[in-house]
Amino acid sequence: VDRTHHRYIIKAMEMGCAAVMANTAIATAGDIRVMARAFGKAVEAGRDAYLAKLGRVQNRASASSPLTGFLGQ
């Protein structure tokens, strides 16, 4: 197996492990339907966040609040 295929195999194994952990969380939940619904909402929220794209990235921290500076008064 060449390096490219090796990376895909590793990624597939990681995805499989994540699926097993999700399945265990759902299968052992007190209310399976509610836990499954929560996982579904988490997947949708993650997709929405991805589609929304990252906000502005800066090298330094800066206040984004319209009340900037009020704590220093």
Side-chain angles (χ1 to χ4, degrees):
V1 177
D2 63 33
R3 289 180 189 260
T4 301
H5 288 101
H6 186 68
R7 283 196 312 244
Y8 290 129
I9 291 169
I10 290 171
K11 189 64 177 172
M13 291 173 66
E14 289 172 353
M15 291 169 60
C17 289
V20 167
M21 291 190 302
N23 180 64
T24 301
I26 293 169
T28 60
D31 189 327
I32 293 172
R33 288 188 176 133
V34 172
M35 183 63 79
R37 189 168 50 243
F39 268 81
K41 289 177 180 179
V43 170
E44 289 177 12
R47 181 66 179 162
D48 287 345
Y50 171 79
L51 293 173
K53 307 291 184 211
L54 288 176
R56 181 173 28 124
V57 177
Q58 299 178 339
N59 292 326
R60 293 178 10 152
S62 63
S64 60
S65 171
L67 301 176
T68 300
F70 84 99
L71 292 176
Q73 295 175 356

